[in-house]
Amino acid sequence: MKIYSLFDIPEEELPRVGGKARGLYILHKAGLGIAEGYVLSDADLSSADEACEWFDGSGLVNVAVRSSAESEDGKDLSGAGQYETALGVTKETFRDAFLSCVSSLGGDRAIKYSSAFGKTDCGRMNVVVQTMVNATVAGVGFSTDPTGEKDCALIEAVRGLGESLVSGTSKSTRYSLKRNGAEFVGDGVLSASLQSALLDGLLKAETALGTGADCEWAAEGDRLYWLQARPITTDDVPDEDELNCGRDLSGRVITSCNVGEMLPGAITPLSLSTTIYALDYGIRNMLALAGVIKSPDSIPPQSCILSVKNHLFIDMTTLYSISKNVMMASKKSIDLAICGRELDYGDTAEKAASPFRKLRNGIRYFKILTGAEKSKKKLVAASEKFKFSACVTAADVYAEIDNALPAMYEAMWYHYNTSSHSGAMNGALNMVLKDKISDPEEIKAKVAGTLEGIDDIESVAILADLRKIAEAVLADRPDARDFGKDELAAYLDGATGETRAAIDAFLSRHGHRAIREAELRSKSWRDDKEAFYGYIRTVLSSDGREKERPADWEKNTEELAAPFNRIARKAIRFLVKQCRKGVVNREFSKSYIIKIIDAFKKRYRLLATRLVEDGLLPDEDCIYFLTHEEIGRLIRGEGAGLVKKCIARRRLLPVQNAYVFPDVSCGAPQPIVYESTGGDEYKGDPVSRGSAVGRARIVKSAEDAKKIENGEIMVSCYTDIGWSPYYCLLSGLITEVGSALSHGAVVAREYALPLVVNVPFATECIKNGDLISLDACTGDIRVLERAGQTAAE
């Protein structure tokens, strides 16, 4: 144990004497008054005799004994209240105070606090002994107000000792003082002169610490003492806008269409920095190959796919550049391809390229649209290459992921190229139809009729292959419909023969799929046995028969083309066939890019395990609330404050997820608030024809979906591939977002399930148990009977 006066701590010892002693020394050097005292460095229980002997010879009589642990009062962790403090200590009570303070280093409270921030080692304990200040008034002060305006300092004061304030047992008087020359209030707990001295001291402490200062103080009459100084630990706490795109969106047309169907709701920082970066890169690469921009890096990330409050949007203004640089491209065609309708907002003010350049780029763009089959093959080949090795250390696992990410970005481009053909053909078909059909809703319904009965759709095979499992189970155990959850799980775990073969075949083809599957935090069905077995149980509980698939798409196509001239009819037939082919390619491509993403999911889970084992993260789920770059900093030892940040982000995600945005906006999207109109009639876009009457089941999560009963109409925020196993139970489906080309719509059409999308606040307007009618030919929805009421009422 070493002992130093608080006025004279050697510079080389400052990192080791703990935050409290170091802060007091810094305050003293800045010219601020601190009480006389010393620090017992590297103190332990065996040092008690030496500590008592030193106190006896110090000349101090009535003192405060405080911890100064290495992990205390830092920018990363404050450690406030985790260790013991004793006030009014005398010669008779000093030993007990010293031992209590030292012992608190290994106390449950301190250990749980440290482990919550990924710290397995609390460091060593130092003990500060100072003359007790007989305060008439005391409190805390912040050089910048952590709860309000940053141009103000905040001071809180109580009469007497400040311990009741910092322990939270007394109400304080608050003073918010302008940092650049405050007007002091002289009729409260603090005199104007004391307010002035506190403000001056806080600003000096901030300069000395090099960051915002959080200080404790006490005053005996007009004499001010500074008791503690630490960095403000709330300055870098993230808010819900922390990961916004950072670009000025003023005047830009922003939409959640298309991308909001792929990944609805708020997503995690890790996904933003990886899978969503890859999606944005894919579109930037397309713009570069089409000659619209020089290279993918010539415009900043999030120029195409951007985040606001962790929700995803497309910057249509960026895409409108295609119409200025590519022959035959137009704003209308881009609107229809992405949003399914023409937007009222104006085109970009960008100057059009020369006719020669537009022609050259038009040829490039045509090659992109006709290159879907080639990209499809490249994507399949790429998916076979994502085989990670058996790395041991966190650093090695991270390096392997880091090296593989560029290949994932390239694969995302193959996916985008394969799937964009579908959107482009659908947009072109809509443009042709607008010459004769003025009602956009009628167009959507009729186009949906031409997209029925498509063979070889990857996402449709999910439910079909689940039925094969159910058939094998029932052939082996006819009583399986009556199995409870645990009984079914035990049977499936030990399944053999046809049942095992059907399960293995399903997992081989679909095991990488999931709800919100592009989100790295979402476990795939192969890795989430409970969810997978739950889907099998759902299919077992249905009637086991597939609904008859519609097979009249050719008739619907001819009816659609009939009003047009001969050339237009040929164009419509061609475009319908291309749209149908595009649906198959799009779903195939989506499955393979998710297979690649699933490989990264597994690798990040392994990395999370290693980081927890190394004491760098408190739990494995925290990894999803750091960006990929931040994880690297954490591993390199540069991540001070990152664990605190990821914990705060995790708490924010449900808040962000609750936000609802308009599907199109001019400028940065702003959340909209649901206001009940009290009505019983609603309107949406019909994308899978038919009609149904049934009780509503509101589904906002996988847990909600498990409650679905036969014949219910599912009302959800979005369509998702993960809902497919429940389609066998439903009589209809309503969602708040979606399109004719969304994965849920594709599956719904193949199972003749009526589906209406884009019904604002459907999950709020309609309640569980409401009896509703659904007309998916017109998009009309009506509540026939509210839950708990009778028709007579």
Side-chain angles (χ1 to χ4, degrees):
M1 185 174 69
K2 299 178 181 179
I3 303 172
Y4 304 105
S5 165
L6 293 174
F7 301 147
D8 191 21
I9 301 174
E11 291 288 332
E12 65 273 13
E13 291 296 318
L14 285 176
R16 293 187 284 271
V17 295
K20 196 173 274 96
R22 183 168 57 251
L24 288 167
Y25 174 78
I26 290 172
L27 290 174
H28 169 69
K29 294 290 284 185
L32 301 179
I34 67 170
E36 182 183 359
Y38 55 89
V39 57
L40 302 163
S41 180
D42 198 11
D44 57 29
L45 297 178
S46 66
S47 307
D49 288 342
E50 184 181 357
C52 290
E53 183 179 346
W54 184 270
F55 178 65
D56 289 345
S58 68
L60 303 181
V61 179
N62 186 25
V63 297
V65 177
R66 292 188 172 94
S67 65
S68 184
E70 276 189 309
S71 59
E72 213 173 348
D73 290 349
K75 182 72 173 172
D76 191 3
L77 303 179
S78 73
Q82 305 310 311
Y83 306 103
E84 292 300 322
T85 290
L87 303 179
V89 176
T90 63
K91 181 178 179 179
E92 290 74 21
T93 58
F94 181 84
R95 178 182 291 271
D96 288 342
F98 174 83
L99 292 173
S100 177
C101 193
V102 171
S103 298
S104 66
L105 182 68
D108 286 344
R109 182 172 60 191
I111 290 173
K112 288 179 180 178
Y113 173 82
S114 296
S115 63
F117 290 91
K119 306 293 184 182
T120 56
D121 183 4
C122 297
R124 63 181 184 178
M125 177 61 78
N126 308 282
V127 177
V128 169
V129 181
Q130 272 185 296
T131 296
M132 186 74 186
V133 178
N134 296 314
T136 54
V137 62
V140 296
F142 302 88
S143 61
T144 58
D145 188 346
T147 64
E149 299 295 328
K150 295 302 181 183
D151 63 346
C152 290
L154 175 67
I155 298 170
E156 296 188 344
V158 294
R159 299 191 187 279
L161 298 177
E163 285 302 302
S164 60
L165 174 60
V166 297
S167 66
T169 58
S170 289
K171 185 176 180 180
S172 65
T173 300
R174 296 174 63 123
Y175 299 83
S176 183
L177 306 178
K178 291 289 185 182
R179 286 164 53 95
N180 58 347
E183 292 185 7
F184 303 108
V185 180
D187 57 353
V189 175
L190 299 180
S191 65
S193 62
L194 197 49
Q195 291 176 51
S196 178
L198 284 166
L199 177 60
D200 180 65
L202 287 170
L203 297 180
K204 286 180 178 177
E206 178 180 89
T207 300
L209 290 173
T211 186
D214 169 0
C215 300
E216 293 180 26
W217 55 270
E220 288 185 17
D222 290 329
R223 187 168 183 180
L224 180 61
Y225 293 92
W226 295 88
L227 307 179
Q228 189 169 330
R230 63 167 74 98
I232 293 178
T233 58
T234 57
D235 275 352
D236 59 350
V237 171
D239 60 26
E240 58 198 26
D241 294 311
E242 178 202 13
L243 298 176
N244 287 0
C245 73
R247 295 190 296 116
D248 182 5
L249 300 180
S250 302
R252 303 188 74 84
V253 180
I254 309 297
T255 182
S256 61
C257 294
N258 194 285
V259 70
E261 299 155 21
M262 182 198 75
L263 234 179
I267 62 173
T268 61
L270 183 57
S271 295
L272 265 177
S273 65
T274 52
T275 57
I276 305 310
Y277 178 92
L279 187 63
D280 178 70
Y281 172 86
I283 302 178
R284 286 188 282 130
N285 192 50
M286 183 273 291
L287 295 176
L289 292 175
V292 177
I293 58 177
K294 290 183 179 180
S295 73
D297 296 325
S298 61
I299 57 176
Q302 295 204 41
S303 289
C304 303
I305 306 294
L306 59 93
S307 69
V308 174
K309 299 184 188 298
N310 287 39
H311 288 247
L312 299 182
F313 300 88
I314 295 176
D315 189 333
M316 296 295 289
T317 303
T318 300
L319 300 190
Y320 289 157
S321 293
I322 298 173
S323 66
K324 300 294 185 179
N325 290 276
V326 176
M327 187 72 73
M328 301 298 292
S330 67
K331 173 186 177 294
K332 182 189 295 186
S333 64
I334 295 168
D335 285 345
L336 291 172
I338 301 296
C339 303
R341 69 182 191 274
E342 186 175 357
L343 303 183
D344 296 331
Y345 298 103
D347 202 344
T348 174
E350 179 183 349
K351 184 179 178 180
S354 67
F356 172 77
R357 184 181 173 190
K358 291 186 74 173
L359 176 60
R360 182 195 65 186
N361 291 344
I363 295 171
R364 288 181 172 183
Y365 192 56
F366 180 77
K367 287 182 178 178
I368 291 172
L369 292 180
T370 56
E373 289 297 328
K374 188 176 180 180
S375 285
K376 181 178 170 182
K377 292 177 182 177
K378 288 183 176 180
L379 181 59
V380 173
S383 70
E384 302 302 322
K385 295 178 181 178
F386 284 93
K387 308 292 184 184
F388 292 104
S389 62
C391 294
V392 176
T393 69
D396 288 342
V397 177
Y398 178 81
E400 194 173 35
I401 294 173
D402 194 55
N403 291 333
L405 281 173
M408 192 242 276
Y409 305 155
E410 192 69 19
M412 190 65 82
W413 153 242
Y414 299 145
H415 163 60
Y416 183 78
N417 188 197
T418 304
S419 61
S420 62
H421 173 259
S422 174
M425 294 301 103
N426 190 268
L429 179 60
N430 274 262
M431 288 189 67
V432 173
L433 297 177
K434 282 177 71 70
D435 289 341
K436 295 287 186 181
I437 306 174
S438 58
D439 183 3
E441 307 309 317
E442 185 180 355
I443 291 176
K444 290 175 184 175
K446 290 189 173 183
V447 168
T450 69
L451 298 179
E452 296 170 347
I454 303 176
D455 294 323
D456 301 322
I457 298 177
E458 189 70 24
S459 53
V460 173
I462 291 173
L463 184 49
D465 289 347
L466 279 172
R467 287 186 186 279
K468 291 177 182 178
I469 297 175
E471 289 167 2
V473 170
L474 291 172
D476 185 44
R477 292 294 302 271
D479 59 339
R481 280 197 176 95
D482 300 323
F483 283 1
K485 175 182 173 183
D486 294 338
E487 187 179 5
L488 178 62
Y491 168 77
L492 293 173
D493 283 340
T496 58
E498 292 297 321
T499 301
R500 173 50 53 192
I503 290 173
D504 291 344
F506 180 92
L507 292 176
S508 176
R509 184 174 182 181
H510 310 295
H512 55 284
R513 309 306 295 267
I515 295 173
R516 301 184 80 239
E517 54 197 1
E519 164 59 64
L520 292 175
R521 197 185 187 199
S522 298
K523 280 189 176 181
S524 63
W525 294 333
R526 183 184 291 106
D527 297 319
D528 189 351
K529 184 187 293 186
E530 182 179 354
F532 174 46
Y533 286 179
Y535 293 147
I536 296 174
R537 191 168 182 229
T538 296
V539 176
L540 282 170
S541 67
S542 70
D543 59 16
R545 300 187 305 272
E546 288 193 29
K547 296 177 183 177
E548 184 177 349
R549 290 174 55 189
D552 52 359
W553 72 270
E554 290 177 314
K555 175 185 174 184
N556 295 335
T557 301
E558 291 306 315
E559 290 179 355
L560 187 62
F564 294 84
N565 61 39
R566 184 170 58 87
I567 295 176
R569 286 199 298 273
K570 285 186 176 181
I572 290 171
R573 294 185 190 109
F574 170 79
L575 289 171
V576 166
K577 289 181 179 178
Q578 290 298 308
C579 285
R580 291 172 65 84
K581 180 180 179 181
V583 167
V584 174
N585 283 343
R586 183 172 180 263
E587 295 302 307
F588 179 91
S589 170
K590 176 67 180 294
S591 179
Y592 269 86
I593 195 62
I594 294 301
K595 185 177 289 187
I596 291 172
I597 290 173
D598 188 49
F600 282 88
K601 287 181 182 180
K602 290 181 172 63
R603 212 60 187 162
Y604 276 115
R605 283 204 298 275
L606 174 61
L607 179 56
T609 300
R610 296 286 183 265
L611 293 173
V612 171
E613 290 171 351
D614 294 345
L616 294 175
L617 285 180
D619 62 70
E620 294 178 4
D621 187 56
C622 278
I623 197 171
Y624 303 108
F625 297 90
L626 295 173
T627 66
H628 176 75
E629 183 272 336
E630 287 172 340
I631 295 170
R633 286 167 47 203
L634 190 71
I635 292 171
R636 293 191 299 271
E638 303 166 3
L642 284 179
V643 173
K644 177 180 67 177
K645 182 171 287 189
C646 76
I647 290 172
R649 286 171 177 167
R650 182 162 57 184
R651 293 194 187 106
L652 275 175
L653 192 68
V655 177
Q656 294 169 318
N657 202 47
Y659 285 119
V660 176
F661 293 87
D663 61 349
V664 180
S665 58
C666 186
Q670 300 297 322
I672 53 179
V673 179
Y674 166 65
E675 294 182 4
S676 175
T677 60
D680 290 330
E681 296 183 357
Y682 311 100
K683 186 81 171 179
D685 296 335
V687 295
S688 179
R689 299 183 306 167
S691 60
V693 175
R695 294 287 176 184
R697 173 65 62 183
I698 309 301
V699 174
K700 296 184 179 181
S701 67
E703 290 303 312
D704 292 337
K706 293 176 183 177
K707 302 172 185 175
I708 293 173
E709 297 181 4
N710 261 315
E712 290 185 327
I713 295 176
M714 175 173 156
V715 184
S716 179
C717 300
Y718 51 88
T719 57
D720 191 286
I721 197 73
W723 303 140
S724 300
Y726 298 104
Y727 283 15
C728 59
L729 295 176
L730 302 175
S731 62
L733 181 59
I734 299 167
T735 66
E736 294 178 347
V737 298
S739 73
L741 296 180
S742 65
H743 308 289
V746 171
V747 177
R749 283 194 293 271
E750 295 312 302
Y751 286 95
L753 182 67
L755 168 59
V756 175
V757 302
N758 294 327
V759 182
F761 295 106
T763 58
E764 303 295 335
C765 303
I766 302 170
K767 305 299 182 183
N768 268 327
D770 286 353
L771 181 65
I772 58 178
S773 66
L774 167 66
D775 187 336
C777 295
T778 63
D780 293 317
I781 300 161
R782 186 178 179 188
V783 178
L784 305 176
E785 177 184 306
R786 291 291 181 181
Q789 296 179 351
T790 64
E793 291 175 320

